[in-house]
Amino acid sequence: MDLPVDEWKSYIFQKWSLLPKSIQDTISTADTLRDIFLHSSSLLQPEDEMFLRSLSRGYLVGKEPNAPPFYREEGNKKFQKKDYMGATVLYSKGISHARPHSADISLCYANRSAALFYLDEYEMCLKDITRAQMHGYPESLQPKVTLRKVECLVTLGRLQEAGQTIRDLESNFAAKPSLAAAQFQILQRNLCRLKMKVQERENLTASFPATLTKAFEDMDLREENEQIPGASSSVSLCMDPLKGRYLIATKDILPGELLVKEDAFVSVLNPGERPPLHHGLESKWDTRVTNGDLYCHRCLRHTLATVPCDGCSYAKYCSHECMQQAWDLYHNRECPLGGLLLTLGIFCHIALRSTLLARFEDASEVIRKLCVEMSNKDMCSPESENLVQTPSSDPGGESEINGKTVKTPVPGCDLNGKYENNYNAVFHLMPHTENHSPEYKFLCAVSVSALCRQLEAADSSKPATVPPAWRSELRAWGVAMLKHMLQLQCNAQAVTSIQRPGSKENSVTNSRQVRLATGIFPVVSLLNHSCSPNTSVSFISTVATIRASEKIGKGQEILHCYGPHRSRMAVAERRQKLRSQYFFDCGCPACQKEKHRAAVGPRWEAFCCDRCRAPLQGGDVLSCGSTSCTESVSRDHLISRLQDLQQQVGQARKLLTSGQLERAIQLLLGCRHDAESFLSAEHSMVGEMEDALAQAYAALGDWQKSATHLQKSLQVVEVQHGPSSVEMGHELFKLAQLFFNGFAIPEALNTIQRAEKVLMVHYGPCNDEIQELQKMKSCLLDSPPISLGPSV
């Protein structure tokens, strides 16, 4: 996904292994990225490019004329089964493969509008009706979609538009006496019904929420930092010879305060873990749902009504405006390379898009930097003359030029010391060239070289559309792309979203964090890592927000977790992951503390004595921690029992999914009884079992039992993640849902208040779960108190 597909990686690694040692040494010891790129590029042979093209052709990214009828038919099947969401996605796939202004695209848009209507997505339905008509929807079918349009307008309270549309439709009827009598009567009845609906609502003053939330207004910075646009005035940029650039608090910061609000310099939607669809399969049309079907490829907004690129089937957007912006900025170059970019992976795609965006800044300055890069050592390596090493809080340093003392800006800052979200900041992110393996650098260099050759071939076919600077400096841009690929291992930021899978009828929904895209956020990249950070990161569209998750004192460093968190990973595992991916040994307080008591282990992984329930301690043989008990047991034996338990819980979850609730409950209760003999009450596996039992009882409508089990799960979450953690917030949200569905008003209101307090710190007021909690609270405050009642 991030890197090229496995077939290309294996091919290039084998090519590397067959190179003479002298050539391997030349590339391994190269001083500059320019040398690595040029040496590797010279080794790319025509047969290598042919193999890469064969892999790229496995992705169906063009306009396939036979695809729209197939997807429309499959969508109709879903529609007939009232699976309107599934139908919507399939119609969207048909739209993406259809040519503009064709019968196929107009029919798919019209059919999707019907599915959206039944999903209560009236604004989207109206837009699809307009699109269907714009692309030549058949005249004979126009009354059908026009009536649907009136229904939407009435529901949305746009009564004048609805009335005018009805009058226009009546005029059209009058102008067409040839309309069949039966069809005319049906249409007349529908018109009369809609006219009555309009009249009924004309005297009502209904207010409807805007389609877009106030999310971006609610997350504005109180006072923006003059030195770091996108950051709060509560933070300051500092420099250290060992840890480089970092941010500190300039005053005491309270939990929940917004510290950074930054739009990605560049982002690429994650296409999902799926292999290329080769033409030899039974059905070459992919009906699986991926991120690309549900999120805009430019702004990453969730949408059920994607608008495809006119030239390819893989790039889809939330609106025509987003499509045009993407085309103007980068997609006009990427469009013919879709299969190649999917084959080479997200990192290569981001590297290309970063350089394409750089063209819109001062081109001469960018090219000058690239030329310096081609002749000097990496500009972000510690030995570079451009890296100022000063331990003070002053973000700059001083150097002497012609006998005069001149202030030298921090890498990424302009001459005025301003650190902005631009290509200059991206260019100065650390590539860690010396830390990457020779094989990895070779893979990146050859992949970029292959991409450059495809760009060069495309440029020669349409020279008028390509800027002269790009054509003449393509080799320099290739070096820049290689640098960006190497930067991304340490500086790429996963753009995530909280999703709650399951149907609307499911009373307990588990939140899970999913990766939507990968982006570069220059300001976010300034934050150093801690396994127990003092900030939380969340995303709305392509905008990252960082909030203080706890009180941060003046002068304290602002810290972010790169992934390995103390509550989710053991200290040894964390340190190994950070060393292999980020090239440093973590010495954060959490690691130092756990390193000294590694033999004990965290409470949520603890085994307990079968006799007295005291914690077991030790290495390969665990002994009871109670002085009055001599029980001991093999660690391997307990691990084997834990694995068996995990397998059984997995089976129980499958039973839950298939609706076999009673069988799932019996299996889970048996697992829980077994766990009591060797797992601590705070073990994460115990929490997982209680959570599954809560889901099962909720599905049966037994709110009291469900709430009891979820509260036990909540105790485990609190021990593992902390009472103010984001995980605790999501669990409290689930508990609030349970109490709400069981109409236990006092318990629900109390839990809603607790959940709001925690989630507000991590997400701010624009979070979907907070909005839902507020709706539940409003509903409950207008209702009489009713208890859950006895369990049946």
Side-chain angles (χ1 to χ4, degrees):
M1 186 168 55
D2 287 335
L3 299 178
V5 296
D6 290 339
E7 296 91 334
W8 179 245
K9 282 193 291 185
S10 299
Y11 181 89
I12 294 302
F13 288 153
Q14 183 181 26
K15 184 181 180 73
W16 170 265
S17 68
L18 296 174
L19 291 175
K21 189 175 184 305
S22 59
I23 296 179
Q24 288 185 353
D25 290 342
T26 298
I27 295 174
S28 300
T29 59
D31 287 332
T32 67
L33 287 173
R34 171 186 178 275
D35 292 338
I36 295 172
F37 179 74
L38 292 180
H39 286 308
S40 301
S41 181
S42 67
L43 297 171
L44 181 65
Q45 301 301 313
E47 58 267 27
D48 303 330
E49 295 182 80
M50 190 178 301
F51 178 69
L52 182 58
R53 281 196 295 271
S54 71
L55 294 176
S56 303
R57 282 194 292 269
Y59 290 98
L60 301 177
V61 295
K63 300 290 187 184
E64 301 285 340
N66 295 324
F70 169 82
Y71 284 123
R72 192 169 70 250
E73 183 62 31
E74 292 299 307
N76 291 344
K77 293 176 185 176
K78 295 277 189 183
F79 190 92
Q80 289 163 6
K81 295 177 182 177
K82 298 186 178 181
D83 179 4
Y84 302 120
M85 184 69 74
T88 298
V89 172
L90 290 167
Y91 293 141
S92 294
K93 287 179 180 288
I95 291 166
S96 69
H97 281 281
R99 293 285 179 187
H101 307 293
S102 64
D104 281 330
I105 198 168
S106 67
L107 290 170
C108 283
Y109 271 129
N111 286 13
R112 192 173 73 180
S113 75
L116 290 168
F117 179 84
Y118 284 103
L119 288 170
D120 299 334
E121 297 287 352
Y122 302 113
E123 291 284 3
M124 289 185 186
C125 177
L126 287 172
K127 289 179 180 178
D128 266 5
I129 290 171
T130 301
R131 289 165 184 149
Q133 294 170 332
M134 183 181 70
H135 286 282
Y137 191 61
E139 188 69 27
S140 61
L141 300 176
Q142 287 284 353
K144 189 176 180 180
V145 295
T146 305
L147 289 171
R148 189 179 303 142
K149 177 180 179 179
V150 175
E151 290 269 20
C152 291
L153 291 170
V154 171
T155 306
L156 292 170
R158 291 155 61 177
L159 304 182
Q160 285 188 338
E161 290 178 69
Q164 184 59 51
T165 305
I166 289 173
R167 288 190 289 275
D168 292 342
L169 191 55
E170 287 178 322
S171 299
N172 289 337
F173 287 168
K176 295 178 182 176
S178 60
L179 197 66
Q183 186 181 5
F184 182 78
Q185 288 176 2
I186 293 171
L187 291 172
Q188 280 287 71
R189 282 200 298 270
N190 281 323
L191 271 177
C192 289
R193 177 178 59 83
L194 290 171
K195 286 165 76 173
M196 289 177 62
K197 202 170 182 180
V198 171
Q199 290 168 2
E200 287 171 4
R201 298 200 51 172
E202 276 179 341
N203 295 327
L204 298 176
T205 55
S207 62
F208 294 88
T211 304
L212 297 177
T213 64
K214 294 169 57 185
F216 290 100
E217 296 174 19
D218 290 336
M219 51 187 256
D220 284 339
L221 294 163
R222 291 180 183 174
E223 188 178 343
E224 194 166 38
N225 195 304
E226 293 182 1
Q227 183 195 3
I228 318 167
S232 163
S233 59
S234 301
V235 304
S236 178
L237 175 60
C238 300
M239 196 74 188
D240 184 88
L242 296 178
K243 59 185 179 183
R245 300 167 295 187
Y246 64 100
L247 298 179
I248 64 164
T250 57
K251 63 178 184 180
D252 290 343
I253 296 171
L254 296 176
E257 184 175 335
L258 183 60
L259 303 179
V260 174
K261 174 190 169 185
E262 181 183 25
D263 199 353
F265 173 79
V266 61
S267 63
V268 170
L269 188 71
N270 170 19
E273 294 284 1
R274 58 189 181 97
L277 294 174
H278 297 289
H279 298 283
L281 296 178
E282 291 181 12
S283 174
K284 65 180 180 179
W285 311 124
D286 184 14
T287 57
R288 292 168 293 182
V289 181
T290 67
N291 285 341
D293 298 312
L294 300 173
Y295 292 89
C296 177
H297 283 230
R298 192 196 75 82
C299 72
L300 305 182
R301 289 183 187 276
H302 183 271
T303 178
L304 296 177
T306 53
V307 179
C309 167
D310 289 341
C312 68
S313 63
Y314 76 95
K316 307 169 192 175
Y317 306 95
C318 64
S319 64
H320 180 80
E321 291 73 22
C322 257
M323 178 182 72
Q324 191 59 52
Q325 287 180 40
W327 180 265
D328 293 340
L329 290 171
Y330 48 78
H331 191 63
N332 60 341
R333 306 299 308 285
E334 296 177 356
C335 185
L337 305 175
L340 179 63
L341 293 171
L342 288 170
T343 304
L344 293 179
I346 290 178
F347 281 4
C348 201
H349 196 163
I350 290 178
L352 169 63
R353 191 170 288 182
S354 296
T355 55
L356 291 173
L357 291 171
R359 299 174 302 160
F360 295 92
E361 298 183 19
D362 187 344
S364 60
E365 178 63 17
V366 171
I367 292 172
R368 184 192 68 77
K369 290 175 185 173
L370 292 172
C371 291
V372 170
E373 175 69 18
M374 291 181 68
S375 58
N376 292 338
K377 291 191 174 185
D378 302 342
M379 293 182 72
C380 285
S381 59
E383 66 271 20
S384 170
E385 63 182 4
N386 293 280
L387 182 61
V388 182
Q389 299 182 347
T390 169
S392 70
S393 60
D394 181 355
E398 294 181 347
S399 59
E400 192 169 302
I401 301 177
N402 297 328
K404 295 182 179 180
T405 300
V406 180
K407 192 172 181 65
T408 310
V410 172
C413 293
D414 60 21
L415 293 176
N416 297 317
K418 201 170 186 179
Y419 187 91
E420 298 192 80
N421 181 317
N422 58 19
Y423 188 70
N424 181 50
V426 171
F427 191 79
H428 283 86
L429 295 175
M430 295 277 284
H432 295 282
T433 310
E434 69 284 359
N435 296 117
H436 292 290
S437 69
E439 296 92 333
Y440 182 77
K441 287 184 280 193
F442 184 65
L443 170 67
C444 294
V446 171
S447 298
V448 167
S449 178
L451 179 57
C452 284
R453 291 191 189 182
Q454 287 296 308
L455 286 166
E456 199 167 23
D459 292 351
S460 62
S461 65
K462 48 177 183 179
T465 63
V466 182
W470 174 269
R471 292 200 304 271
S472 63
E473 301 291 344
L474 188 56
R475 182 176 291 179
W477 290 113
V479 175
M481 280 190 267
L482 174 58
K483 179 172 186 173
H484 296 322
M485 275 201 79
L486 297 179
Q487 286 173 333
L488 284 164
Q489 179 165 321
C490 295
N491 292 286
Q493 174 67 52
V495 180
T496 60
S497 174
I498 299 296
Q499 293 183 355
R500 303 203 303 273
S503 64
K504 290 182 179 179
E505 291 76 23
N506 192 352
S507 302
V508 181
T509 55
N510 278 317
S511 300
R512 64 188 180 98
Q513 191 178 61
V514 296
R515 176 181 168 187
L516 294 182
T518 303
I520 297 179
F521 297 81
V523 177
V524 175
S525 293
L526 294 173
L527 274 70
N528 282 326
H529 167 80
S530 171
C531 297
S532 183
N534 51 21
T535 61
S536 283
V537 181
S538 60
F539 300 88
I540 294 179
S541 183
T542 55
V543 177
T545 61
I546 297 181
R547 294 179 183 273
S549 59
E550 60 187 53
K551 186 176 179 180
I552 303 174
K554 181 179 179 180
Q556 195 175 340
E557 186 173 357
I558 312 297
L559 297 167
H560 165 44
C561 180
Y562 291 179
H565 195 283
R566 60 169 293 275
S567 67
R568 294 186 289 269
M569 203 177 287
V571 59
E573 189 181 356
R574 294 200 311 266
R575 289 168 68 87
Q576 173 58 34
K577 182 171 177 61
L578 291 165
R579 190 180 300 114
S580 62
Q581 181 174 348
Y582 296 98
F583 312 120
F584 71 87
D585 291 312
C586 186
C588 74
C591 282
Q592 294 297 326
K593 184 178 180 181
E594 291 176 44
K595 192 165 63 172
H596 294 301
R597 56 181 183 87
V600 180
R603 291 156 63 188
W604 57 88
E605 293 179 2
F607 296 113
C608 70
C609 176
D610 189 16
R611 285 188 181 178
C612 66
R613 302 291 298 161
L616 294 174
Q617 301 174 1
D620 294 338
V621 177
L622 298 174
S623 302
C624 182
S626 173
T627 55
S628 60
C629 182
T630 59
E631 190 75 8
S632 65
V633 63
S634 163
R635 181 184 291 273
D636 289 341
H637 173 68
L638 294 179
I639 289 174
S640 177
R641 288 185 66 184
L642 177 60
Q643 290 171 343
D644 289 342
L645 201 63
Q646 289 170 333
Q647 189 175 7
Q648 291 181 65
V649 173
Q651 292 173 357
R653 287 199 176 278
K654 289 179 181 178
L655 291 172
L656 273 176
T657 304
S658 63
Q660 301 179 64
L661 303 176
E662 294 291 351
R663 286 184 60 193
I665 288 172
Q666 291 304 313
L667 182 54
L668 287 166
L669 290 173
C671 290
R672 193 177 69 164
H673 181 267
D674 184 32
E676 288 173 353
S677 65
F678 74 105
L679 296 182
S680 74
E682 297 161 341
H683 197 285
S684 58
M685 196 67 224
V686 173
E688 188 176 336
M689 287 184 284
E690 296 292 353
D691 183 82
L693 282 165
Q695 291 186 56
Y697 283 117
L700 289 172
D702 193 334
W703 311 115
Q704 189 176 52
K705 279 189 177 180
S706 181
T708 299
H709 286 290
L710 193 57
Q711 284 170 316
K712 291 179 180 178
S713 171
L714 206 64
Q715 292 170 5
V716 177
V717 172
E718 183 171 351
V719 168
Q720 182 174 355
H721 299 285
S724 301
S725 64
V726 67
E727 291 85 0
M728 191 69 174
H730 294 312
E731 291 298 302
L732 286 168
F733 174 79
K734 285 163 55 178
L735 186 60
Q737 283 183 310
L738 268 183
F739 285 135
F740 178 82
N741 290 323
F743 225 61
I745 295 180
E747 295 91 340
L749 289 172
N750 177 266
T751 308
I752 287 170
Q753 185 178 10
R754 292 174 63 198
E756 278 185 313
K757 183 178 179 182
V758 175
L759 291 172
M760 192 73 78
V761 166
H762 297 280
Y763 295 114
C766 57
N767 176 256
D768 289 341
E769 289 185 347
I770 291 175
Q771 300 288 330
E772 193 167 334
L773 287 167
Q774 291 171 350
K775 290 177 185 176
M776 285 193 278
K777 183 164 60 176
S778 297
C779 181
L780 291 170
L781 290 173
D782 294 331
S783 306
I786 300 176
S787 66
L788 282 170
S791 175
V792 179

